[in-house]
Amino acid sequence: MNPSILKGKSFLDHRGQLRYNNDFDLTPIKRMYLLKNKDLSVERAWQGHQIEQRWFSAVSGTFQVILVVPDHWEVPTQIKERYTFTLESETLDILHIPSGFLSHIKSLSEDADLLVFSDYKLGEINDEYKFPLETFKF
């Protein structure tokens, strides 16, 4: 399965703006958290899961998310697939990240917040893989 975007929508009238994503089914969600980078120089890479799925949504600001499929999970050396997404808070899009991907997350605007959803509780499974930023360079 490939990563995909569930497009959000917005409605504006005299009362203000409503941003929504009625296509996002939260049934599999077991936890959520908010990610905020210290500043624009921070690059959160490379972290991923062979089993766990994630969903990302920018609730303020803009983020760039690069997803890769590594050739090996214990000692990756090459990328088998690569996807790049830009998430903006104005659209309330949801990026679905299926299992099997490593992510690289970078804020593109100051004070950006990324809402993250997961289909497993913290500690429920042992499925977290982290590699140094230098593992893959673009």
Side-chain angles (χ1 to χ4, degrees):
M1 180 182 283
N2 292 332
S4 60
I5 294 279
L6 297 169
K7 297 299 282 176
K9 298 179 177 68
S10 67
F11 174 78
L12 183 64
D13 68 11
H14 67 280
R15 299 169 292 175
Q17 181 183 29
L18 172 68
R19 292 182 293 165
Y20 59 96
N21 196 315
N22 291 340
D23 295 324
F24 183 36
D25 179 3
L26 286 105
T27 304
I29 306 303
K30 292 189 177 179
R31 70 183 170 103
M32 62 178 262
Y33 54 93
L34 194 64
L35 184 149
K36 183 183 202 79
N37 288 334
K38 182 177 83 170
D39 57 44
L40 296 177
S41 69
V42 173
E43 296 180 56
R44 292 177 182 259
W46 293 96
Q47 180 175 326
H49 307 276
Q50 289 190 70
I51 302 168
E52 188 174 334
Q53 299 179 80
R54 298 280 172 100
W55 293 262
F56 292 173
S57 182
V59 293
S60 66
T62 305
F63 284 87
Q64 178 186 61
V65 179
I66 300 172
L67 302 173
V68 300
V69 176
D71 58 347
H72 300 286
W73 280 89
E74 297 305 320
V75 183
T77 58
Q78 294 181 7
I79 295 170
K80 292 168 54 177
E81 295 177 55
R82 176 184 168 182
Y83 301 86
T84 302
F85 298 92
T86 301
L87 298 174
E88 299 176 353
S89 59
E90 286 304 310
T91 60
L92 201 61
D93 293 344
I94 308 284
L95 171 60
H96 174 228
I97 305 167
S99 56
F101 288 88
L102 296 171
S103 64
H104 173 282
I105 303 166
K106 183 167 178 44
S107 304
L108 298 180
S109 61
E110 297 289 341
D111 295 323
D113 294 310
L114 187 68
L115 188 57
V116 181
F117 300 93
S118 172
D119 62 346
Y120 282 89
K121 292 181 182 177
L122 192 60
E124 186 175 357
I125 59 173
N126 184 15
D127 183 44
E128 189 166 343
Y129 295 84
K130 291 183 179 183
F131 303 100
L133 175 63
E134 300 78 28
T135 304
F136 304 114
K137 280 294 193 185
F138 303 111

